Amino acid sequence: MSPTKQNAAARAANVNLVKSLLRSGEGARALQTIGDRWSFLLLRDAFLGARRFEDFRRLTGAARGTLSSRLGAFVDEGILYRAPYGSVPGRHEYRLTDKGLALYPLALSLWNWETRWSGEFGLPPRLVHEACGRKMHPQLTCAHCGQVVDARDVSFEAGPGARAYGTKVKENRRRRSLSGTPAAGVDTTMFHSIDTIGDRWSGLLLASLFLGLRRHDDINAALGIATNILSDRLRRLLSAGVIEQHLYRDRPARYEYRLTEKGRDFYPFVMTLHEWATTWLRSPLGPALRFRHRSCGHTLRSRMACSECHAQIDPHEVGVKAGVDWRRTRR
């Protein structure tokens, strides 16, 4: 077999592998549950102490119907629960369950990305690890060796759950951008990251790039995504500087899409999403995807650790050190 045919065969095999991993995988199930912009904003505010419907509505800017739908879905999924408050019957607030609290590493990964790459919307507040008393940056580390996890030092393989395509991804009817002029009182923290990857297809597209797919047709075949939607998401990631194009054929012009440094910084988001789903959205067949940390040779189990004392971060032990502008936004 010629080198060209060998390369084509290897690429086709990788497409089929990624197809089985993404369509039945943990990430796809997680994105069905929390993979839209309003869900990410609700999680942001729940972790920052919002409890009541009107607080969520003011901080997210979501329409009442949209907000009611997302809160109801989170309650049905066991991420939030309703707790009564006050003396008037029927009043309740929304609190995180253990399943919801387990999403804290995901929220921290977006905070990290936003801290480094945020532009017009400004930086989120600084975090203080109350266990050690220092300002910190959360770090995704290997639970076995304690090293910071780098995507280039992680390999993957199919698990038993990759045998069946159990998840069909549904596209949102409307994909509203958050980057316009926000209404008074809306908290713009995290808008850049959520505008970039705040829908199911963008999350799966990002995962396919981390799993080694680079060409439009290969990604299309693996995800089963409509070509116009794929083209739109690729343009969005290109515009955000998350990916870049590399010409691999002149006539006609054909490009590969590769992650930039800004794009590779989304790896903790992809990993924490996968691990949350592995624990809380288990498939009876087992995991579809397994990762191995090459540095220590163990199956990768990650944790979010404090950059200063290196202890695992507990959401109850994190304080917020906010600037003046951020405090004014959240009133």
Side-chain angles (χ1 to χ4, degrees):
M1 185 182 295
S2 69
T4 300
K5 289 183 178 180
Q6 287 179 338
N7 290 338
R11 224 180 66 244
N14 193 40
V15 169
N16 286 332
L17 173 60
V18 175
K19 178 179 180 180
S20 67
L21 297 178
L22 292 182
R23 294 201 192 182
S24 61
E26 292 75 25
R29 294 196 297 276
L31 288 168
Q32 286 292 112
T33 304
I34 61 168
D36 67 78
R37 60 190 62 247
W38 301 118
S39 296
F40 287 132
L41 289 175
L42 283 179
L43 286 172
R44 175 201 67 183
D45 292 319
F47 280 119
L48 288 171
R51 297 285 182 266
R52 299 178 184 179
F53 185 94
E54 289 302 323
D55 292 332
F56 284 118
R57 188 182 68 83
R58 172 175 56 84
L59 293 168
T60 64
R64 288 183 175 275
T66 300
L67 180 58
S68 180
S69 174
R70 295 304 188 279
L71 287 170
F74 271 18
V75 170
D76 291 343
E77 290 288 345
I79 293 171
L80 296 174
Y81 70 94
R82 294 185 178 95
Y85 76 91
S87 57
V88 178
R91 286 190 175 181
H92 55 261
E93 57 187 17
Y94 297 89
R95 294 183 174 269
L96 289 158
T97 63
D98 288 344
K99 184 177 181 179
L101 286 169
L103 285 162
Y104 195 55
L106 181 75
L108 290 178
S109 72
L110 290 179
W111 181 92
N112 262 348
W113 191 91
E114 194 85 10
T115 298
R116 185 175 185 189
W117 300 106
S118 173
E120 63 179 297
F121 297 114
L123 295 177
R126 289 172 289 178
L127 301 180
V128 176
H129 190 207
E130 294 174 350
C132 68
R134 295 185 237 175
K135 299 172 190 173
M136 66 157 180
H137 284 274
Q139 295 178 327
L140 186 73
T141 62
C142 174
H144 293 284
C145 67
Q147 291 187 21
V148 174
V149 175
D150 187 314
R152 290 163 288 196
D153 197 29
V154 176
S155 62
F156 69 91
E157 62 184 7
R163 293 181 305 212
Y165 298 161
T167 303
K168 181 179 180 181
V169 178
K170 298 178 182 179
E171 170 61 3
N172 299 332
R173 293 183 180 179
R174 290 177 57 193
R175 192 182 196 282
R176 178 184 166 191
S177 173
L178 293 170
S179 58
T181 302
V186 172
D187 182 359
T188 60
T189 306
M190 304 295 185
F191 269 25
H192 186 33
S193 54
I194 293 171
D195 256 348
T196 304
I197 48 107
D199 71 87
R200 297 176 181 92
W201 283 125
S202 295
L204 288 173
L205 172 55
L206 193 65
S208 72
L209 292 166
F210 276 115
L211 293 175
L213 300 190
R214 293 180 175 177
R215 298 184 182 182
H216 182 285
D217 291 347
D218 291 345
I219 297 169
N220 177 264
L223 298 185
I225 184 174
T227 55
N228 63 316
I229 296 176
L230 176 56
S231 296
D232 173 76
R233 299 306 188 269
L234 288 169
R235 282 194 298 269
R236 184 177 292 273
L237 296 185
L238 283 167
S239 177
V242 170
I243 59 175
E244 57 190 7
Q245 289 179 318
H246 290 260
L247 185 71
Y248 72 87
R249 182 186 300 165
D250 288 324
R251 297 181 182 178
R254 292 288 184 268
Y255 296 92
E256 289 185 339
Y257 298 92
R258 300 182 186 178
L259 290 159
T260 62
E261 183 181 2
K262 187 177 183 179
R264 287 192 296 274
D265 264 6
F266 270 124
Y267 189 68
F269 166 81
V270 173
M271 181 56 65
T272 53
L273 186 74
H274 164 83
E275 293 204 347
W276 178 79
T278 300
T279 301
W280 295 97
L281 303 176
R282 292 179 181 174
S283 165
L285 297 176
L289 183 59
R290 288 175 174 154
F291 294 94
R292 186 168 298 278
H293 191 208
R294 294 192 182 103
S295 292
C296 65
H298 285 92
T299 298
L300 179 62
R301 292 295 299 174
S302 68
R303 63 175 191 165
M304 274 292 184
C306 171
S307 59
E308 306 306 309
C309 69
H310 310 296
Q312 184 168 356
I313 298 171
D314 184 319
H316 300 101
E317 297 178 344
V318 177
V320 174
K321 186 175 180 61
V324 174
D325 289 343
W326 186 82
R327 283 198 296 266
R328 184 184 303 121
T329 302
R330 293 191 64 85
R331 284 176 183 167

